[in-house]
Amino acid sequence: MNNLRPVGIIGTGKYVPEKILTNSDLEKMVDTNDEWIVSRTGIKERHIAAPDQATSDLAYEAAIKALESAGMTGSDLDLIIVATITPDSSFPSTACILQDKLGAKGAAAFDLSAACSGFVYGLASATSFIQSGMYNNALVIGADCLSRITDYTDRNTCVLFGDGAGAVVVGEVPEGRGFKAFDLGAEGAGGSLLQMEGGGSRLPATAETVENKKHYINMNGREVFKFAVRVMGTATIEVLRKAGMERTDVDLFVPHQANIRIIQSAMQRLELPEEKVVVNVDKYANTSAASIPLALVEAAEEGRMKAGDTVLMVGFGGGLTWGASVLVW
Ligand SMILES: CC(C)(COP(=O)(O)OP(=O)(O)OC[C@H]1O[C@@H](n2cnc3c(N)ncnc32)[C@H](O)[C@@H]1OP(=O)(O)O)[C@@H](O)C(=O)NCCC(=O)NCCS
């Protein structure tokens, strides 16, 4: 990517819904307890969308802030990519709903489905569009309302997820800054380890699919855990190799916020000190495509990176998929 137009992040915004669901709230819903949840996952609470809020509403709030911080309005946008697995509906896409709400009349718009890796896939797509010269900028959003596909009678999954949205504007940046490398991948053979079976063309919604809970997240937690620990390490090493950098060059590590134990295993493997790692899984739980941008934007708001810092983002999720990027802030 070295000889191409430098492309990076020129605006950031985030949004989480107001309602907070704590571990003690969950204790009243399923057979679980705060001690189990905190020790196994690091999660203390999560935000849940109001009944009248859909994914596009969360995405809109984050998008407005990102545009404002870039000094732009919707009409300046060339492209809108929304990474989500909980679109408002199958179609129109959530990106098209946003294009209208943002007044982005000239912009192309599409949704991208790569689960929790979706935001990094979206960044790589936007960067390629801009480097090719096809577009000059893009709004990339990771937004999900996992609460809408979570079975709140299943303790194996309901403690893990929350709702939110994070948005960035991607565009040309000064020489030497911007994205240095991406590493995207998939292991489709593991798709059934983390899935929602119902509601698509294979198993359209019927009274029977609803009765059999086919419209909820279904997960093999232990196998996903093993996959996550493996690819967090391999994707990080691979993306650094592509960027021609060492792990000691990383100033800020922004991992997918699924489980504190998965983050800690990556920290150990990469010998990263705590102050270089962004962790907010305690407050938001796993927000799928929103997880990495929520962590990135929060770190930016807290002044944790300065111009020229090397930021490494890495995520994994349903598909199975993974995505990592090296960005000079
Ligand atoms: C789900 C996860 C937290 C479970 O942690 P774990 O240490 O692997 O726990 P185990 O699966 O070994 O289960 C241990 C026991 O706790 C129980 N348990 C599961 N959820 C529980 C809960 N919320 N409260 C109390 N007990 C629970 C299990 O039923 C099991 O009991 P058993 O041994 O009697 O069957 C962990 O596997 C994980 O984080 N996996 C990855 C999930 C993920 O990140 N998914 C999204 C990817 S994007």
Side-chain angles (χ1 to χ4, degrees), residues 133-150:
M134 187 162 169
Y135 296 124
N136 286 317
N137 64 54
L139 176 67
V140 179
I141 303 173
D144 267 306
C145 278
L146 288 187
S147 64
R148 297 290 151 78
I149 57 167
T150 295

Side-chain angles (χ1 to χ4, degrees), residues 30 35-36 73 97 121 138 169 207 210 214 218 232 239 264-265 277 290 301 306 319:
V30 286
E35 197 277 325
W36 191 96
T73 64
I97 294 168
Y121 266 71
V169 180
V210 172
K214 297 293 184 190
N218 179 281
M232 287 276 272
V239 80
Q264 281 163 349
S265 77
V277 182
E301 287 171 358
K306 56 183 187 315

